[in-house]
Amino acid sequence: MTDLLNDLLIRNARPYGDEAVDLLVQDGVVTGIGTGLTAPEGTEVFDAGGHVLLPGLVDLHVHLREPGGEESETIETGSHAAALGGFTAVFAMPNTDPVADTAVVVEHVRRRGEEVGLVDVHPVGAVTTGLKGEKLAELGTMAASAAQVRMFSDDGRCVNDPLIMRRALEYASALDVVIAQHAEDHRLTDGAQAHEGAIASRLGLAGWPATAEETVVARDCALAREAGAALHVCHVSSLHSIAVLRAAKAQGVRVSAEVTPHHLLLTDGRLTGYDPVNKVNPPLRTGADTQAMREALAEGVIDVVATDHAPHASQYKDTEWAAAKPGMLGLQTALSVVIHTMVEPGLLDWHGVARVMSERPAEIGNLPDQGRPIAVGEPATFALVDPDAQWTVRGPALASRAANTPYEGMRLPGAVVATVLRGRITARDGKVVA
Ligand code: DOR
Ligand code: ZN
């Protein structure tokens, strides 16, 4: 990636919330950590104000909508949102137009990300041609392309056909890449509009049963075991899926899982006003599910938080419920929601936040220079967080082109003060540093 390699002295930062130190950064790498450090003349000095320093956040699941959906987001606006949210790497899902199912499209996404230069944009390749679920896309060609695709997914759709999924996992094993599954048996969710339960019944919305997720997770864990392949389960939403994941992990299946911030915090209780901002796939579920998600994330059965950042322009959201597209913004609110749901109740400390939002995602996504320890010799790739700040979410003030945040008007804890990518400050005090 093309970076200007600045030298930087970061004063008074608390790595993982521990003791305050200074960090000297040269050519994008940490070359000194200590107290009272001095820097060569001309080095930029950055006062970190005693805030918490984390490795730069890594998001395994975003929708940047480019190519083809630029009315909702672009790689540029999505990169702005990512940098402001503390992210230094994101994985862009392939449900674009054209679909990212060829080397040409994934290379375009990667190149555009590099041109914007705020965050490493890693294209996710489609598993099947056109996301149709019928024929495997050319995974090997995309993996070998300049985009170096390391994750494949039909996200938005499930790879429902077990034979196609089996073949995909066999290829994934041979290519050393990961298949990220959107676990939803479409036969069970035909026409679904909301979590199948008391609230959907009362509102007259067709139900999305939790079993549609759980059964696909169980099937795919068996297929991944047989293929010896790495399977990643996108946006786990049902507490029943957790037992399946726990059992598979205990058997040594190479399975990882993510939960979204909205499935940690929001429930189907929000649906009573029929506001489509709450429509998302998989749907918001019950308080028992959100509680189970939090506990599974703390325990490590769910490995990571991924946003499923899904911008939709107002013409796709300001409609009646049934016509609205599913999805919600996530990049600029993710860390605050994790602080609120996980740090404040004592389920995770800052090391834990670094684990679920940076270290494990970088491992799963196979990124050798992200999610690294804050230590001498390591890349200077950080998120600096003021844990005591509070802010009120306003959709139009977010950097995304769309404004479909479910947290509108909510007061959330924690603010990203700065983001640093290989020694370059990409965001500072709520503004992108171009
Ligand atoms: O809510 C969702 N929105 N879930 C998905 O799986 C796809 C995504 C989108 O692309 O908008
Ligand atoms: Zn999905």
Side-chain angles (χ1 to χ4, degrees):
M1 308 254 158
T2 49
D3 290 318
L4 279 175
L5 295 176
N6 294 352
D7 290 355
L8 191 63
L9 177 64
I10 302 174
R11 280 205 192 285
N12 191 22
R14 293 191 296 126
Y16 313 99
D18 299 339
E19 290 299 299
V21 293
D22 303 336
L23 298 96
L24 184 60
V25 174
Q26 293 172 306
D27 290 342
V29 174
V30 178
T31 54
I33 298 184
T35 48
L37 289 190
T38 53
E41 188 118 350
T43 303
E44 184 183 353
V45 178
F46 178 76
D47 181 0
H51 296 316
V52 174
L53 193 69
L54 300 177
L57 308 183
V58 177
D59 193 342
L60 291 177
H61 192 149
V62 304
H63 298 271
L64 300 182
R65 303 298 185 217
E66 192 179 339
E70 291 85 353
E71 68 279 21
S72 296
E73 192 78 292
T74 64
I75 291 168
E76 182 169 19
T77 57
S79 294
H80 281 232
L84 291 167
F87 291 91
T88 50
V90 299
F91 285 74
M93 283 296 175
N95 61 339
T96 49
D97 184 11
V99 169
D101 59 2
T102 59
V104 174
V105 180
V106 291
E107 284 178 351
H108 168 77
V109 171
R110 171 103 175 200
R111 197 173 330 109
R112 194 61 204 120
E114 288 175 357
E115 282 166 10
V116 175
L118 291 170
V119 52
D120 294 348
V121 176
H122 295 280
V124 177
V127 175
T128 67
T129 305
L131 308 174
K132 290 198 175 79
E134 291 163 1
K135 184 170 154 289
L136 276 189
E138 296 201 356
L139 310 192
T141 310
M142 286 187 271
S145 75
Q148 295 176 43
V149 179
R150 292 291 172 266
M151 179 180 273
F152 293 88
S153 180
D154 273 4
D155 181 63
R157 301 279 306 165
C158 183
V159 181
N160 232 148
D161 183 325
L163 185 59
I164 302 262
M165 188 59 178
R166 183 182 186 195
R167 295 270 179 271
L169 287 163
E170 286 167 357
Y171 274 100
S173 175
L175 294 167
D176 197 22
V177 298
V178 58
I179 302 290
Q181 175 72 295
H182 168 121
E184 170 184 357
D185 190 323
H186 293 297
R187 289 278 289 154
L188 291 173
T189 61
D190 194 23
Q193 294 289 336
H195 169 65
E196 184 178 275
I199 290 183
S201 306
R202 181 146 53 81
L203 298 177
L205 296 172
W208 197 125
T211 47
E213 176 178 288
E214 179 190 354
T215 52
V216 171
V217 175
R219 180 200 77 175
D220 287 355
C221 284
L223 294 172
R225 182 188 63 221
E226 191 186 48
L231 167 70
H232 179 70
V233 182
C234 297
H235 42 52
V236 175
S237 65
S238 161
L239 66 87
H240 298 295
S241 300
I242 292 167
V244 178
L245 289 166
R246 187 182 283 111
K249 287 185 166 199
Q251 287 176 29
V253 178
R254 294 174 65 198
V255 59
S256 57
E258 71 188 32
V259 62
T260 68
H262 47 274
H263 288 111
L264 289 171
L265 180 60
L266 308 177
T267 70
D268 62 352
R270 292 178 55 112
L271 270 50
T272 52
Y274 293 97
D275 183 345
V277 81
N278 297 306
K279 183 170 174 179
V280 66
N281 190 19
L284 301 180
R285 299 200 189 272
T286 69
D289 291 294
T290 56
Q291 188 55 33
M293 294 305 125
R294 296 179 191 189
E295 287 164 12
L297 182 63
E299 188 189 336
V301 175
I302 293 178
D303 301 75
V304 307
V305 173
T307 64
D308 196 4
H309 177 81
H312 286 299
S314 60
Q315 62 263 38
Y316 305 125
K317 274 301 206 185
D318 297 346
T319 67
E320 78 270 30
W321 181 276
K325 290 198 179 182
M328 28 183 77
L329 298 185
L331 281 167
Q332 283 178 257
T333 45
L335 183 64
S336 289
V337 173
V338 169
I339 292 171
H340 178 53
T341 56
M342 300 298 295
V343 178
E344 288 183 347
L347 288 165
L348 285 182
D349 61 11
W350 293 109
H351 286 276
V353 173
R355 173 167 58 82
V356 304
M357 295 190 80
S358 177
E359 295 159 10
R360 280 293 289 146
E363 279 170 24
I364 293 164
N366 217 332
L367 303 182
D369 73 333
Q370 295 273 349
R372 299 296 305 166
I374 299 173
V376 170
E378 297 288 353
T381 297
F382 307 125
L384 181 70
V385 183
D386 179 351
D388 300 319
Q390 301 255 340
W391 62 294
T392 303
V393 182
R394 296 288 173 212
L398 299 174
S400 281
R401 187 162 277 186
N404 54 306
T405 174
Y407 311 108
E408 180 70 36
M410 247 192 224
R411 230 171 142 62
L412 290 177
V416 175
V417 176
T419 308
V420 182
L421 176 62
R422 291 184 286 275
R424 186 164 94 72
I425 298 173
T426 55
R428 186 173 188 167
D429 298 326
K431 290 196 177 54
V432 166
V433 181

